[in-house]
Amino acid sequence: MAVNLSAPSAASLHPVPGVSIGVAEANVRKANRKDLTVFLLEPGASVGGVFTQNRFCAAPVQVCREHLASGDIRALVINTGNANAGTGEDGLVRARQTCIAAARLLNLAPEQVLPFSTGVIMEPLPVDRIEKGLPAAIDDAQPQHWLRAAEGIMTTDTIAKAFSRQVQVDGVTVTVTGISKGAGMIRPNMATMLGFLATDAQVDARLLPALAFELAEGSFNRATVDGDTSTNDSFIVIASNKAKHAKITSLDTPAGQALKGAMLEVARLLAQAIVRDGEGATKFITVRVEGGKTGAECRQVAYAIAHSPLVKTAFFASDPNLGRILAAVGYAGITDLDQTKIDLYLDDVHVAVGGGRNPSYREEDGQRVMKQSEITVRVVLGRGNAADQVWTCDFSHDYVSINADYRS
Amino acid sequence: MAVNLSAPSAASLHPVPGVSIGVAEANVRKANRKDLTVFLLEPGASVGGVFTQNRFCAAPVQVCREHLASGDIRALVINTGNANAGTGEDGLVRARQTCIAAARLLNLAPEQVLPFSTGVIMEPLPVDRIEKGLPAAIDDAQPQHWLRAAEGIMTTDTIAKAFSRQVQVDGVTVTVTGISKGAGMIRPNMATMLGFLATDAQVDARLLPALAFELAEGSFNRATVDGDTSTNDSFIVIASNKAKHAKITSLDTPAGQALKGAMLEVARLLAQAIVRDGEGATKFITVRVEGGKTGAECRQVAYAIAHSPLVKTAFFASDPNLGRILAAVGYAGITDLDQTKIDLYLDDVHVAVGGGRNPSYREEDGQRVMKQSEITVRVVLGRGNAADQVWTCDFSHDYVSINADYRS
């Protein structure tokens, strides 16, 4: 059960002019399953992307990087069921075959197609099935198919993830709509498993890489379920450039800020949705670290807390076993940390002061917060003025069950 | 159930001349439980220790470091039930009170006593109960009480951990006997939760700190259960100097090598016993990384694998989902890693070659190894000649149950 996350309605998802989406059943791994999704972009769209920093990056990630560099992207092809990762040279060939097949059907060059795969690692991609499924996916393409796409890219997700916002840019209403997927192997480093965000706003193509990076930094790169950075993380930002306002040539203008704000809001909702649907999650936890010397050290401490199996199981049990949080702060790797300056809060409850238990802290107050489904852990390091936060979930029996059974 | 680990017999544990041990019930946290252990050392013993690198180190760890610096240690006092960590200045006062109380009963200076605590974090140490329990523990002291001590320091351990060896040093038989405890919050960094190793060999007191460090590096510092470095890790090495051989003044002499070899063997067995008894463990896994540029990068990769919840749950399920291991290699943080040079073995089965699936690998071979209770994962990085290994266990439903219920 995802934490405070309900399925999106198709009506809540505004189509993005210039972007059509189609879904088909290609039997990639299992029959009777929508496992192949295509995005078709009208001419003139700009695309930016950020990808996993895992050195074992999947074949489609390598091909995406190449194709994005050559520009003028017109189609995205996404399969579930098989990640085409840990597949060596053969995997690269198969990712390219996917692009060639789609390009032939769409009368494009293969470099104009971006391939994405998610699913089991280290098994050969059944590219013949993808080729056979592509005509049906392309025939299905419609601007209003965002919900179908959100469903089409799910793997262990229990719920589809899609959000949409509209915002005024230069007096013109523009749309931002996005989808994401992912529930395990989630500690995005540059991007999440898969996230796609599109707007019809007009944005200078040269801004797209920086925009994608900044959006990922403020959203997917702050989410972690299990600390496992995937081989396939990909986050793609599309501007179809159909809206009738003056083209945005800088993100620092009022128009640029308005658009970026709306895109960041959707990206955050998508990233948080992945954590809310984290494998076995029963709680959504924000770990905020303040008073650090740098943002990087705040994140270092926040991730140590967010990845501690002991902290995560205590959240699952609603047990205010807060020493486990202090222990994680201590081993986070800040060698000159002064434990006597550290304060800890659970929501509004001041648990530890100066590195020790707050004399006025009462166990029942900690217990009250721990029973909530949304909890903010706040650590104050007392070293400086930097702050940052990450989002995570608890660690339950279901996490073990899901991951012990995923392939079998 | 601990993995291939049985309870030691009292008869298998050789007493160490010059070392007596007593145990008592002090009701530190629960009644009817042996929770207070004392080691009494005859005059002339040398003691070295290594302690947690967690910046939130517990009060007793701070006091131990001070007292070891002043030398001439004559007693160790160990309580379970309360870690006296995250307790600030008040915790330091209580750790010192423990030493003062023991010193008064034994006619020593407080600086001659080392305090150790393990158990719940961030609760005040009931030092009054420890004071009341000390006379009974001291009265109980006998050289042959090693098994009682191993039992007396257990917390979530399911089985006592104690090993003993005898070795010839300069034609004289000397004894090495040790105990350890720990099952969760185990990723020792300088030492494990608690480990005590004693020999009657004569060793120059100046060698003890280096000896303790080298032994920890070859044993406890290669063990991890959940990646959580404790606030209380302490590993103590005692030489009672009672044996009649010529004093060892260098570890590089034949006598020094013989003694160190025996001590390392016992320290490794103690460290591996902690992993075998890891919370919820059903399998004992050696992660060996070869072909690295440095030992440090080999350990970095080995820990990424050993800490991945996805890898650990796959071991629990006996599922050869080996892509998860490659993914962990990829995100371990070696930025110039070339994935096309990586080979992966499960015991003797060659799973991946050049970063991709080995064409001759058959799933049933991987399955056969994964079903074993002892498994070696071997990763060859193809970058150099360094190698290192860590020991870990799998991640089961019982880990979640144990840690969700520990305090309640």
Side-chain angles (χ1 to χ4, degrees):
Chain A
M1 271 298 299
V3 182
N4 302 329
L5 182 68
S6 49
S9 68
S12 72
L13 302 173
H14 306 286
V16 178
V19 179
S20 297
I21 304 166
V23 176
E25 296 181 1
N27 303 307
V28 173
R29 187 174 173 83
K30 293 183 180 164
N32 305 316
R33 191 170 171 148
K34 295 192 187 74
D35 54 8
L36 185 64
T37 301
V38 296
F39 278 66
L40 306 183
L41 313 183
E42 292 186 16
S46 315
V47 180
V50 284
F51 300 92
T52 183
Q53 294 301 297
N54 192 313
R55 300 314 299 168
F56 238 100
C57 74
V61 168
Q62 295 180 59
V63 174
C64 271
R65 287 192 174 120
E66 283 176 28
H67 289 189
L68 270 177
S70 67
D72 197 18
I73 301 300
R74 294 284 307 285
L76 281 54
V77 177
I78 307 142
N79 73 271
T80 63
N82 184 308
N84 194 9
T87 46
E89 275 299 319
D90 179 68
L92 281 172
V93 169
R94 289 168 192 253
R96 290 188 208 288
Q97 281 178 325
T98 303
C99 297
I100 291 167
R104 190 179 299 133
L105 291 166
L106 295 164
N107 202 21
L108 300 171
E111 294 73 26
Q112 294 181 286
V113 181
L114 298 182
F116 303 87
S117 296
T118 177
V120 175
I121 298 177
M122 237 177 83
E123 308 217 344
L125 183 73
V127 69
D128 52 327
R129 298 184 188 179
I130 291 173
E131 285 191 42
K132 277 191 201 136
L134 273 171
I138 291 169
D139 282 351
D140 183 59
Q142 299 284 347
Q144 67 273 26
H145 276 176
W146 282 92
L147 181 57
R148 278 172 73 79
E151 292 164 350
I153 64 175
M154 287 166 67
T155 54
T156 57
D157 306 65
T158 68
I159 200 164
K161 299 166 183 74
F163 295 93
S164 191
R165 289 288 183 275
Q166 291 190 317
V167 64
Q168 296 294 311
V169 171
D170 255 354
V172 176
T173 300
V174 305
T175 295
V176 176
T177 302
I179 60 174
S180 65
K181 64 82 54 183
M185 199 175 272
I186 298 288
R187 186 212 166 155
N189 185 351
M190 293 313 293
T192 185
M193 271 295 272
L194 293 180
F196 301 94
L197 190 61
T199 178
D200 57 335
Q202 283 200 63
V203 185
D204 189 320
R206 290 167 295 186
L207 295 182
L208 266 288
L211 182 60
F213 176 78
E214 286 182 36
L215 292 174
E217 275 291 301
S219 58
F220 296 104
N221 285 356
R222 294 294 173 275
T224 184
V225 169
D226 46 20
D228 280 270
T229 301
S230 156
T231 50
N232 290 56
D233 291 344
S234 303
F235 173 54
I236 295 294
V237 178
I238 300 163
S240 71
N241 296 312
K242 295 288 181 191
K244 297 302 181 197
H245 59 84
K247 179 172 286 206
I248 295 170
T249 54
S250 161
L251 297 174
D252 296 328
T253 57
Q257 291 287 321
L259 178 67
K260 189 178 149 189
M263 294 183 90
L264 190 57
E265 188 190 346
V266 175
R268 278 201 178 132
L269 289 167
L270 290 170
Q272 291 180 355
I274 285 176
V275 175
R276 291 179 186 284
D277 196 23
E279 289 170 346
T282 72
K283 294 182 183 172
F284 178 84
I285 297 151
T286 301
V287 182
R288 181 166 175 80
V289 178
E290 303 174 351
K293 284 185 183 167
T294 63
E297 76 174 25
C298 293
R299 285 191 293 281
Q300 194 177 336
V301 172
Y303 276 120
I305 296 167
H307 291 154
S308 161
L310 290 172
V311 171
K312 290 164 94 80
T313 47
F315 277 113
F316 171 55
S318 300
D319 177 8
N321 193 331
L322 301 161
R324 293 180 180 178
I325 297 176
L326 292 186
V329 172
Y331 69 67
I334 302 183
T335 51
D336 62 345
L337 190 71
D338 180 352
Q339 67 174 64
T340 68
K341 295 206 173 145
I342 290 168
D343 280 27
L344 173 64
Y345 298 80
L346 271 188
D347 277 11
D348 54 323
V349 178
H350 195 168
V351 176
V353 59
R357 189 188 175 106
N358 181 356
S360 67
Y361 168 66
R362 297 177 312 159
E363 183 95 357
E364 56 262 42
D365 295 331
Q367 185 74 64
R368 171 178 57 76
V369 177
M370 290 298 277
K371 283 185 175 157
Q372 299 166 183
S373 60
E374 308 250 340
I375 299 166
T376 296
V377 175
R378 189 156 65 92
V379 175
V380 183
L381 298 178
R383 293 160 55 85
N385 297 312
D388 208 339
Q389 62 184 21
V390 305
W391 308 298
T392 194
C393 54
D394 59 333
F395 215 159
S396 69
H397 284 291
D398 284 352
Y399 180 88
V400 177
S401 298
I402 291 165
N403 284 298
D405 301 341
Y406 178 43
R407 287 206 335 165
S408 18
Chain B
M1 271 299 298
V3 182
N4 301 328
L5 181 68
S6 49
S9 69
S12 72
L13 302 172
H14 307 287
V16 178
V19 178
S20 297
I21 305 165
V23 176
E25 296 180 1
N27 303 308
V28 174
R29 187 172 173 85
K30 293 183 179 163
N32 305 315
R33 189 168 172 150
K34 295 191 188 74
D35 54 8
L36 185 65
T37 302
V38 297
F39 278 68
L40 305 182
L41 313 183
E42 291 186 17
S46 315
V47 179
V50 285
F51 300 91
T52 184
Q53 294 302 297
N54 192 313
R55 300 314 299 168
F56 239 99
C57 73
V61 168
Q62 296 179 58
V63 174
C64 271
R65 287 192 174 120
E66 284 175 28
H67 290 189
L68 270 178
S70 66
D72 198 18
I73 300 301
R74 294 284 308 284
L76 284 54
V77 178
I78 308 142
N79 73 271
T80 63
N82 184 308
N84 194 9
T87 46
E89 275 299 318
D90 179 66
L92 280 171
V93 169
R94 289 168 191 252
R96 291 187 208 289
Q97 282 178 323
T98 302
C99 297
I100 291 166
R104 190 178 301 131
L105 292 166
L106 295 164
N107 201 22
L108 300 170
E111 295 72 26
Q112 294 181 283
V113 181
L114 298 181
F116 303 86
S117 296
T118 177
V120 175
I121 298 178
M122 237 177 83
E123 308 217 345
L125 182 73
V127 70
D128 52 328
R129 299 183 187 181
I130 291 172
E131 286 190 41
K132 279 191 201 135
L134 274 171
I138 292 168
D139 281 352
D140 184 58
Q142 300 283 348
Q144 66 272 27
H145 276 176
W146 281 93
L147 181 56
R148 277 172 72 80
E151 292 163 352
I153 64 173
M154 288 166 66
T155 54
T156 57
D157 306 65
T158 68
I159 199 163
K161 299 167 183 74
F163 295 93
S164 191
R165 290 288 182 275
Q166 291 191 318
V167 63
Q168 296 294 310
V169 171
D170 254 355
V172 175
T173 300
V174 305
T175 296
V176 177
T177 302
I179 60 173
S180 65
K181 64 81 54 182
M185 199 176 270
I186 299 289
R187 187 222 164 144
N189 187 352
M190 293 313 291
T192 184
M193 271 296 270
L194 292 181
F196 301 93
L197 190 60
T199 179
D200 56 336
Q202 283 201 62
V203 186
D204 188 320
R206 290 168 295 187
L207 295 181
L208 267 289
L211 182 60
F213 177 78
E214 286 182 35
L215 292 174
E217 274 291 302
S219 58
F220 297 104
N221 285 357
R222 294 295 173 275
T224 184
V225 169
D226 46 22
D228 281 87
T229 300
S230 156
T231 50
N232 292 56
D233 292 345
S234 304
F235 172 53
I236 295 294
V237 178
I238 299 163
S240 71
N241 296 312
K242 294 289 181 191
K244 297 302 181 196
H245 60 83
K247 180 171 283 206
I248 293 170
T249 54
S250 162
L251 297 172
D252 295 329
T253 57
Q257 291 288 319
L259 177 67
K260 188 179 150 189
M263 294 184 89
L264 190 57
E265 188 190 347
V266 175
R268 278 201 180 133
L269 289 167
L270 291 169
Q272 292 180 354
I274 285 175
V275 175
R276 292 179 186 285
D277 197 22
E279 289 170 346
T282 72
K283 294 182 183 170
F284 178 84
I285 297 151
T286 300
V287 182
R288 181 166 175 79
V289 178
E290 302 173 353
K293 285 185 183 167
T294 62
E297 77 174 24
C298 293
R299 285 191 292 281
Q300 195 177 337
V301 171
Y303 277 120
I305 296 167
H307 291 153
S308 161
L310 290 172
V311 171
K312 290 164 94 80
T313 46
F315 277 113
F316 171 55
S318 301
D319 177 9
N321 192 332
L322 301 161
R324 293 180 179 176
I325 297 177
L326 292 186
V329 172
Y331 69 66
I334 302 184
T335 50
D336 62 345
L337 190 72
D338 180 352
Q339 68 173 64
T340 68
K341 293 203 174 148
I342 289 167
D343 281 27
L344 173 64
Y345 298 80
L346 271 188
D347 277 11
D348 54 323
V349 178
H350 195 166
V351 175
V353 59
R357 189 188 175 104
N358 180 356
S360 68
Y361 168 66
R362 297 177 312 160
E363 184 95 358
E364 57 262 42
D365 295 331
Q367 185 72 64
R368 171 178 56 76
V369 177
M370 290 297 277
K371 282 186 175 156
Q372 300 167 183
S373 61
E374 308 250 339
I375 299 166
T376 295
V377 174
R378 189 157 64 90
V379 175
V380 183
L381 298 178
R383 293 159 55 84
N385 297 313
D388 209 337
Q389 63 185 20
V390 305
W391 307 299
T392 193
C393 54
D394 58 334
F395 216 160
S396 69
H397 284 291
D398 283 352
Y399 180 88
V400 177
S401 298
I402 290 164
N403 284 298
D405 300 341
Y406 177 44
R407 287 205 335 165
S408 19

